[in-house]
Amino acid sequence: MTGLRLGPLGQISRPVTDIDRAAEWYGKVLGLPHLYTFGDLAFFDCGGTRLFLSVPSGSTPASTTILYFRVPDIHDAYQEL
């Protein structure tokens, strides 16, 4: 057993095929507060956890969802993992 303790989710990264349609769905249909958009990236607030939407690059699988956990020290967490 390791000493690493993951904290709460800080961000969820979700790939989408059309950033404008996805932003409309998450913002207008689901009612999530829109934080900001930058090019093909859009960010929403999910009750304190940030939702990060992006159009995947050619090397990123279209079905990859990434969970970002908060940790006290990212360098220590990296070394432990």
Side-chain angles (χ1 to χ4, degrees), residues 24-47:
E24 184 172 338
W25 169 258
Y26 285 97
K28 292 184 180 169
V29 176
L30 295 182
L32 296 179
H34 178 254
L35 299 173
Y36 50 92
T37 297
F38 182 75
D40 282 343
L41 310 175
F43 297 83
F44 292 85
D45 178 50
C46 295

PDB file of all heavy atoms in Angstrom, residues 24-47:
ATOM      1  N   GLU A  24     -23.080  24.144 -26.473  1.00  0.00           N
ATOM      2  CA  GLU A  24     -24.515  24.431 -26.396  1.00  0.00           C
ATOM      3  C   GLU A  24     -25.225  23.377 -25.539  1.00  0.00           C
ATOM      4  O   GLU A  24     -26.065  23.695 -24.709  1.00  0.00           O
ATOM      5  CB  GLU A  24     -25.133  24.469 -27.790  1.00  0.00           C
ATOM      6  CG  GLU A  24     -26.585  24.867 -27.756  1.00  0.00           C
ATOM      7  CD  GLU A  24     -27.159  25.108 -29.136  1.00  0.00           C
ATOM      8  OE1 GLU A  24     -26.405  25.371 -30.086  1.00  0.00           O
ATOM      9  OE2 GLU A  24     -28.394  25.029 -29.250  1.00  0.00           O
ATOM     10  N   TRP A  25     -24.869  22.104 -25.726  1.00  0.00           N
ATOM     11  CA  TRP A  25     -25.494  21.019 -24.952  1.00  0.00           C
ATOM     12  C   TRP A  25     -25.214  21.168 -23.459  1.00  0.00           C
ATOM     13  O   TRP A  25     -26.130  21.169 -22.644  1.00  0.00           O
ATOM     14  CB  TRP A  25     -24.999  19.670 -25.456  1.00  0.00           C
ATOM     15  CG  TRP A  25     -25.379  18.527 -24.575  1.00  0.00           C
ATOM     16  CD1 TRP A  25     -24.580  17.876 -23.682  1.00  0.00           C
ATOM     17  CD2 TRP A  25     -26.669  17.924 -24.455  1.00  0.00           C
ATOM     18  NE1 TRP A  25     -25.288  16.903 -23.034  1.00  0.00           N
ATOM     19  CE2 TRP A  25     -26.574  16.910 -23.484  1.00  0.00           C
ATOM     20  CE3 TRP A  25     -27.901  18.154 -25.081  1.00  0.00           C
ATOM     21  CZ2 TRP A  25     -27.648  16.116 -23.111  1.00  0.00           C
ATOM     22  CZ3 TRP A  25     -28.966  17.348 -24.717  1.00  0.00           C
ATOM     23  CH2 TRP A  25     -28.839  16.357 -23.749  1.00  0.00           C
ATOM     24  N   TYR A  26     -23.945  21.295 -23.098  1.00  0.00           N
ATOM     25  CA  TYR A  26     -23.591  21.370 -21.683  1.00  0.00           C
ATOM     26  C   TYR A  26     -24.066  22.667 -21.035  1.00  0.00           C
ATOM     27  O   TYR A  26     -24.454  22.681 -19.874  1.00  0.00           O
ATOM     28  CB  TYR A  26     -22.085  21.190 -21.488  1.00  0.00           C
ATOM     29  CG  TYR A  26     -21.644  19.755 -21.649  1.00  0.00           C
ATOM     30  CD1 TYR A  26     -21.128  19.296 -22.844  1.00  0.00           C
ATOM     31  CD2 TYR A  26     -21.772  18.852 -20.604  1.00  0.00           C
ATOM     32  CE1 TYR A  26     -20.741  17.977 -23.002  1.00  0.00           C
ATOM     33  CE2 TYR A  26     -21.387  17.526 -20.746  1.00  0.00           C
ATOM     34  CZ  TYR A  26     -20.875  17.097 -21.948  1.00  0.00           C
ATOM     35  OH  TYR A  26     -20.501  15.785 -22.100  1.00  0.00           O
ATOM     36  N   GLY A  27     -24.032  23.762 -21.797  1.00  0.00           N
ATOM     37  CA  GLY A  27     -24.422  25.049 -21.238  1.00  0.00           C
ATOM     38  C   GLY A  27     -25.913  25.315 -21.261  1.00  0.00           C
ATOM     39  O   GLY A  27     -26.513  25.606 -20.230  1.00  0.00           O
ATOM     40  N   LYS A  28     -26.512  25.203 -22.434  1.00  0.00           N
ATOM     41  CA  LYS A  28     -27.925  25.563 -22.568  1.00  0.00           C
ATOM     42  C   LYS A  28     -28.878  24.427 -22.206  1.00  0.00           C
ATOM     43  O   LYS A  28     -29.894  24.656 -21.566  1.00  0.00           O
ATOM     44  CB  LYS A  28     -28.197  26.058 -23.979  1.00  0.00           C
ATOM     45  CG  LYS A  28     -27.510  27.379 -24.260  1.00  0.00           C
ATOM     46  CD  LYS A  28     -27.837  27.924 -25.621  1.00  0.00           C
ATOM     47  CE  LYS A  28     -27.100  29.241 -25.808  1.00  0.00           C
ATOM     48  NZ  LYS A  28     -27.164  29.697 -27.178  1.00  0.00           N
ATOM     49  N   VAL A  29     -28.570  23.208 -22.625  1.00  0.00           N
ATOM     50  CA  VAL A  29     -29.477  22.090 -22.346  1.00  0.00           C
ATOM     51  C   VAL A  29     -29.319  21.609 -20.904  1.00  0.00           C
ATOM     52  O   VAL A  29     -30.298  21.491 -20.169  1.00  0.00           O
ATOM     53  CB  VAL A  29     -29.260  20.932 -23.349  1.00  0.00           C
ATOM     54  CG1 VAL A  29     -30.128  19.741 -22.994  1.00  0.00           C
ATOM     55  CG2 VAL A  29     -29.556  21.399 -24.775  1.00  0.00           C
ATOM     56  N   LEU A  30     -28.071  21.348 -20.480  1.00  0.00           N
ATOM     57  CA  LEU A  30     -27.836  20.851 -19.119  1.00  0.00           C
ATOM     58  C   LEU A  30     -27.765  21.974 -18.085  1.00  0.00           C
ATOM     59  O   LEU A  30     -27.894  21.722 -16.893  1.00  0.00           O
ATOM     60  CB  LEU A  30     -26.555  20.020 -19.059  1.00  0.00           C
ATOM     61  CG  LEU A  30     -26.572  18.727 -19.875  1.00  0.00           C
ATOM     62  CD1 LEU A  30     -25.269  17.976 -19.679  1.00  0.00           C
ATOM     63  CD2 LEU A  30     -27.751  17.846 -19.511  1.00  0.00           C
ATOM     64  N   GLY A  31     -27.527  23.187 -18.543  1.00  0.00           N
ATOM     65  CA  GLY A  31     -27.508  24.329 -17.629  1.00  0.00           C
ATOM     66  C   GLY A  31     -26.252  24.477 -16.799  1.00  0.00           C
ATOM     67  O   GLY A  31     -26.265  25.154 -15.766  1.00  0.00           O
ATOM     68  N   LEU A  32     -25.141  23.899 -17.244  1.00  0.00           N
ATOM     69  CA  LEU A  32     -23.884  24.070 -16.508  1.00  0.00           C
ATOM     70  C   LEU A  32     -23.341  25.480 -16.749  1.00  0.00           C
ATOM     71  O   LEU A  32     -23.362  25.968 -17.878  1.00  0.00           O
ATOM     72  CB  LEU A  32     -22.843  23.048 -16.965  1.00  0.00           C
ATOM     73  CG  LEU A  32     -23.169  21.584 -16.691  1.00  0.00           C
ATOM     74  CD1 LEU A  32     -22.053  20.698 -17.228  1.00  0.00           C
ATOM     75  CD2 LEU A  32     -23.377  21.336 -15.211  1.00  0.00           C
ATOM     76  N   PRO A  33     -22.836  26.128 -15.708  1.00  0.00           N
ATOM     77  CA  PRO A  33     -22.251  27.462 -15.894  1.00  0.00           C
ATOM     78  C   PRO A  33     -21.003  27.413 -16.778  1.00  0.00           C
ATOM     79  O   PRO A  33     -20.083  26.635 -16.525  1.00  0.00           O
ATOM     80  CB  PRO A  33     -21.889  27.896 -14.476  1.00  0.00           C
ATOM     81  CG  PRO A  33     -22.734  27.058 -13.576  1.00  0.00           C
ATOM     82  CD  PRO A  33     -22.908  25.750 -14.290  1.00  0.00           C
ATOM     83  N   HIS A  34     -21.010  28.228 -17.834  1.00  0.00           N
ATOM     84  CA  HIS A  34     -19.876  28.317 -18.761  1.00  0.00           C
ATOM     85  C   HIS A  34     -18.803  29.186 -18.121  1.00  0.00           C
ATOM     86  O   HIS A  34     -19.084  30.301 -17.685  1.00  0.00           O
ATOM     87  CB  HIS A  34     -20.352  28.924 -20.080  1.00  0.00           C
ATOM     88  CG  HIS A  34     -19.273  29.097 -21.079  1.00  0.00           C
ATOM     89  ND1 HIS A  34     -18.742  30.335 -21.378  1.00  0.00           N
ATOM     90  CD2 HIS A  34     -18.604  28.202 -21.842  1.00  0.00           C
ATOM     91  CE1 HIS A  34     -17.806  30.184 -22.297  1.00  0.00           C
ATOM     92  NE2 HIS A  34     -17.695  28.907 -22.593  1.00  0.00           N
ATOM     93  N   LEU A  35     -17.588  28.669 -18.055  1.00  0.00           N
ATOM     94  CA  LEU A  35     -16.480  29.431 -17.484  1.00  0.00           C
ATOM     95  C   LEU A  35     -15.780  30.250 -18.563  1.00  0.00           C
ATOM     96  O   LEU A  35     -15.645  31.459 -18.446  1.00  0.00           O
ATOM     97  CB  LEU A  35     -15.490  28.502 -16.782  1.00  0.00           C
ATOM     98  CG  LEU A  35     -16.064  27.700 -15.611  1.00  0.00           C
ATOM     99  CD1 LEU A  35     -15.046  26.692 -15.101  1.00  0.00           C
ATOM    100  CD2 LEU A  35     -16.507  28.641 -14.501  1.00  0.00           C
ATOM    101  N   TYR A  36     -15.330  29.577 -19.632  1.00  0.00           N
ATOM    102  CA  TYR A  36     -14.689  30.271 -20.744  1.00  0.00           C
ATOM    103  C   TYR A  36     -14.462  29.308 -21.888  1.00  0.00           C
ATOM    104  O   TYR A  36     -14.507  28.083 -21.724  1.00  0.00           O
ATOM    105  CB  TYR A  36     -13.364  30.938 -20.330  1.00  0.00           C
ATOM    106  CG  TYR A  36     -12.412  30.041 -19.585  1.00  0.00           C
ATOM    107  CD1 TYR A  36     -11.440  29.310 -20.255  1.00  0.00           C
ATOM    108  CD2 TYR A  36     -12.471  29.944 -18.206  1.00  0.00           C
ATOM    109  CE1 TYR A  36     -10.559  28.494 -19.559  1.00  0.00           C
ATOM    110  CE2 TYR A  36     -11.595  29.135 -17.506  1.00  0.00           C
ATOM    111  CZ  TYR A  36     -10.636  28.409 -18.194  1.00  0.00           C
ATOM    112  OH  TYR A  36      -9.778  27.604 -17.504  1.00  0.00           O
ATOM    113  N   THR A  37     -14.237  29.867 -23.077  1.00  0.00           N
ATOM    114  CA  THR A  37     -13.914  29.101 -24.280  1.00  0.00           C
ATOM    115  C   THR A  37     -12.673  29.718 -24.890  1.00  0.00           C
ATOM    116  O   THR A  37     -12.526  30.941 -24.916  1.00  0.00           O
ATOM    117  CB  THR A  37     -15.082  29.149 -25.291  1.00  0.00           C
ATOM    118  OG1 THR A  37     -16.224  28.537 -24.697  1.00  0.00           O
ATOM    119  CG2 THR A  37     -14.741  28.415 -26.578  1.00  0.00           C
ATOM    120  N   PHE A  38     -11.797  28.854 -25.365  1.00  0.00           N
ATOM    121  CA  PHE A  38     -10.573  29.307 -26.020  1.00  0.00           C
ATOM    122  C   PHE A  38     -10.338  28.390 -27.210  1.00  0.00           C
ATOM    123  O   PHE A  38      -9.933  27.237 -27.045  1.00  0.00           O
ATOM    124  CB  PHE A  38      -9.396  29.266 -25.042  1.00  0.00           C
ATOM    125  CG  PHE A  38      -8.107  29.760 -25.622  1.00  0.00           C
ATOM    126  CD1 PHE A  38      -7.890  31.116 -25.820  1.00  0.00           C
ATOM    127  CD2 PHE A  38      -7.118  28.878 -25.988  1.00  0.00           C
ATOM    128  CE1 PHE A  38      -6.706  31.579 -26.363  1.00  0.00           C
ATOM    129  CE2 PHE A  38      -5.919  29.328 -26.533  1.00  0.00           C
ATOM    130  CZ  PHE A  38      -5.718  30.681 -26.724  1.00  0.00           C
ATOM    131  N   GLY A  39     -10.642  28.857 -28.420  1.00  0.00           N
ATOM    132  CA  GLY A  39     -10.485  28.024 -29.615  1.00  0.00           C
ATOM    133  C   GLY A  39     -11.360  26.783 -29.539  1.00  0.00           C
ATOM    134  O   GLY A  39     -12.572  26.884 -29.370  1.00  0.00           O
ATOM    135  N   ASP A  40     -10.743  25.610 -29.638  1.00  0.00           N
ATOM    136  CA  ASP A  40     -11.460  24.332 -29.572  1.00  0.00           C
ATOM    137  C   ASP A  40     -11.512  23.778 -28.159  1.00  0.00           C
ATOM    138  O   ASP A  40     -11.624  22.557 -27.964  1.00  0.00           O
ATOM    139  CB  ASP A  40     -10.804  23.303 -30.500  1.00  0.00           C
ATOM    140  CG  ASP A  40     -11.187  23.518 -31.956  1.00  0.00           C
ATOM    141  OD1 ASP A  40     -12.182  24.222 -32.210  1.00  0.00           O
ATOM    142  OD2 ASP A  40     -10.501  22.981 -32.839  1.00  0.00           O
ATOM    143  N   LEU A  41     -11.435  24.637 -27.161  1.00  0.00           N
ATOM    144  CA  LEU A  41     -11.510  24.231 -25.753  1.00  0.00           C
ATOM    145  C   LEU A  41     -12.643  25.003 -25.092  1.00  0.00           C
ATOM    146  O   LEU A  41     -12.785  26.199 -25.287  1.00  0.00           O
ATOM    147  CB  LEU A  41     -10.205  24.553 -25.021  1.00  0.00           C
ATOM    148  CG  LEU A  41      -8.901  24.103 -25.662  1.00  0.00           C
ATOM    149  CD1 LEU A  41      -7.721  24.631 -24.858  1.00  0.00           C
ATOM    150  CD2 LEU A  41      -8.849  22.596 -25.766  1.00  0.00           C
ATOM    151  N   ALA A  42     -13.447  24.309 -24.298  1.00  0.00           N
ATOM    152  CA  ALA A  42     -14.521  24.972 -23.552  1.00  0.00           C
ATOM    153  C   ALA A  42     -14.530  24.407 -22.139  1.00  0.00           C
ATOM    154  O   ALA A  42     -14.300  23.214 -21.930  1.00  0.00           O
ATOM    155  CB  ALA A  42     -15.871  24.743 -24.226  1.00  0.00           C
ATOM    156  N   PHE A  43     -14.788  25.276 -21.162  1.00  0.00           N
ATOM    157  CA  PHE A  43     -14.748  24.892 -19.760  1.00  0.00           C
ATOM    158  C   PHE A  43     -16.064  25.266 -19.078  1.00  0.00           C
ATOM    159  O   PHE A  43     -16.578  26.361 -19.274  1.00  0.00           O
ATOM    160  CB  PHE A  43     -13.581  25.595 -19.055  1.00  0.00           C
ATOM    161  CG  PHE A  43     -12.237  25.206 -19.602  1.00  0.00           C
ATOM    162  CD1 PHE A  43     -11.731  25.822 -20.736  1.00  0.00           C
ATOM    163  CD2 PHE A  43     -11.494  24.214 -18.994  1.00  0.00           C
ATOM    164  CE1 PHE A  43     -10.491  25.455 -21.244  1.00  0.00           C
ATOM    165  CE2 PHE A  43     -10.257  23.844 -19.498  1.00  0.00           C
ATOM    166  CZ  PHE A  43      -9.755  24.469 -20.627  1.00  0.00           C
ATOM    167  N   PHE A  44     -16.568  24.329 -18.260  1.00  0.00           N
ATOM    168  CA  PHE A  44     -17.818  24.514 -17.528  1.00  0.00           C
ATOM    169  C   PHE A  44     -17.611  24.123 -16.078  1.00  0.00           C
ATOM    170  O   PHE A  44     -16.717  23.334 -15.755  1.00  0.00           O
ATOM    171  CB  PHE A  44     -18.932  23.642 -18.136  1.00  0.00           C
ATOM    172  CG  PHE A  44     -19.348  24.084 -19.503  1.00  0.00           C
ATOM    173  CD1 PHE A  44     -18.659  23.663 -20.625  1.00  0.00           C
ATOM    174  CD2 PHE A  44     -20.417  24.939 -19.667  1.00  0.00           C
ATOM    175  CE1 PHE A  44     -19.030  24.085 -21.891  1.00  0.00           C
ATOM    176  CE2 PHE A  44     -20.807  25.368 -20.924  1.00  0.00           C
ATOM    177  CZ  PHE A  44     -20.106  24.939 -22.040  1.00  0.00           C
ATOM    178  N   ASP A  45     -18.457  24.658 -15.213  1.00  0.00           N
ATOM    179  CA  ASP A  45     -18.406  24.321 -13.790  1.00  0.00           C
ATOM    180  C   ASP A  45     -19.450  23.254 -13.484  1.00  0.00           C
ATOM    181  O   ASP A  45     -20.623  23.424 -13.799  1.00  0.00           O
ATOM    182  CB  ASP A  45     -18.665  25.560 -12.936  1.00  0.00           C
ATOM    183  CG  ASP A  45     -18.660  25.224 -11.458  1.00  0.00           C
ATOM    184  OD1 ASP A  45     -17.712  24.566 -11.002  1.00  0.00           O
ATOM    185  OD2 ASP A  45     -19.617  25.619 -10.764  1.00  0.00           O
ATOM    186  N   CYS A  46     -19.006  22.167 -12.890  1.00  0.00           N
ATOM    187  CA  CYS A  46     -19.902  21.069 -12.475  1.00  0.00           C
ATOM    188  C   CYS A  46     -19.900  21.014 -10.958  1.00  0.00           C
ATOM    189  O   CYS A  46     -19.324  20.097 -10.351  1.00  0.00           O
ATOM    190  CB  CYS A  46     -19.427  19.739 -13.036  1.00  0.00           C
ATOM    191  SG  CYS A  46     -19.482  19.599 -14.808  1.00  0.00           S
ATOM    192  N   GLY A  47     -20.466  22.002 -10.315  1.00  0.00           N
ATOM    193  CA  GLY A  47     -20.538  22.009  -8.861  1.00  0.00           C
ATOM    194  C   GLY A  47     -19.181  22.019  -8.185  1.00  0.00           C
ATOM    195  O   GLY A  47     -18.977  21.342  -7.182  1.00  0.00           O
TER     196      GLY A  47
END
